[in-house]
Amino acid sequence: MTLIHWQSRFENWLHETWPQDDKAHDVAHLRRVWQTAQRIMAAHDVDELVVLTACYFHDVVNLPKNHPERHLASAQAAAETRRILLTVFPDFPQEKYDAVAHAVHAHSFSAGVAAETLEAKIVQDADRLESLGAIGLARVFYVSGALGRPMFDSVDPLGRARPLNDTEWALDHFQKKLLTLPQTMQTAEGRQMAEHNASFLVTYMAKLCAELKGDFCSLDEEVLREFSAINEKY
């Protein structure tokens, strides 16, 4: 069976069975992660079916950002993926179960599980790239809005005179996590894309800070200078 057929079967089942109340983690998100994974794995010799399957089931158990057991979600997702493959897709090659489950478990930032296979590294990179760039920007504010968190501290948007706290201010998440992601990338392709997209977030921060000062036609040059060397800073 071709990858396209597996992808279609997975998507059909997810649309019919999997709740998609969190629009930052819906089937469209899974499809984008797979699309990014394909770009990364084009330069590598990997098991494409393992990567495809892990991309589509890595969030099958998805706990809210503020859930006390958030760090356990990927382990639960790995176990649930095994169950789904066994019961819903019995023709899926069982010898690939372990590799798929590991990639699902290791994808999570909060779980802190080391990716031990190239397939797991690619899935992890592809999922983290969803947090950067224009899509990542939209997702940050979507998730924070759903949790009832303010967008930013208007007085001190970059937390220069206060501790950063992304459970209180959405924009703080850029510095607390997002701008650190390029350093965590497991592949050269993922790192290159992450650095490019992180630079976009810095540009957004500079634009926001300029607007808060009443300047709607330029960027805050101080912010650009401070964050220009993202990878040295983080």
Side-chain angles (χ1 to χ4, degrees), residues 114-179:
E116 298 177 354
T117 66
L118 184 53
E119 288 82 5
K121 291 176 180 179
I122 289 171
V123 173
Q124 187 184 97
D125 279 8
D127 184 59
R128 291 184 182 184
L129 281 162
E130 270 281 288
S131 299
L132 296 169
I135 293 173
L137 174 65
R139 293 174 85 230
V140 164
F141 291 109
Y142 170 84
V143 172
S144 294
L147 295 173
R149 295 172 182 168
M151 294 184 292
F152 47 80
D153 179 352
S154 297
V155 176
D156 188 7
L158 299 185
R160 300 185 190 280
R162 60 173 176 78
L164 293 169
N165 183 355
D166 58 355
T167 66
E168 184 172 359
W169 307 105
L171 188 67
D172 284 18
H173 194 59
F174 285 39
Q175 293 182 74
K176 289 286 286 184
K177 177 182 177 181
L178 302 188
L179 296 182

Side-chain angles (χ1 to χ4, degrees), residues 60-72:
V60 71
V61 174
N62 178 43
L63 300 178
K65 294 284 187 183
N66 59 351
H67 195 286
E69 295 186 351
R70 169 76 177 181
H71 63 291
L72 302 177

Side-chain angles (χ1 to χ4, degrees), residues 22-89:
D22 180 357
K23 299 306 180 183
H25 298 87
D26 55 7
V27 172
H29 161 68
L30 307 179
R31 191 183 303 121
R32 290 193 303 269
V33 172
W34 166 235
Q35 178 177 283
T36 302
Q38 291 178 85
R39 288 192 58 186
I40 297 172
M41 71 183 189
H44 302 278
D45 182 17
V46 297
D47 190 322
E48 295 180 341
L49 181 55
V50 167
V51 175
L52 168 70
T53 308
C55 285
Y56 270 91
F57 290 98
H58 72 277
D59 280 335
V60 71
V61 174
N62 178 43
L63 300 178
K65 294 284 187 183
N66 59 351
H67 195 286
E69 295 186 351
R70 169 76 177 181
H71 63 291
L72 302 177
S74 69
Q76 297 172 14
E80 179 64 2
T81 298
R82 286 180 181 273
R83 186 196 69 78
I84 292 168
L85 292 177
L86 181 64
T87 58
V88 181
F89 304 99

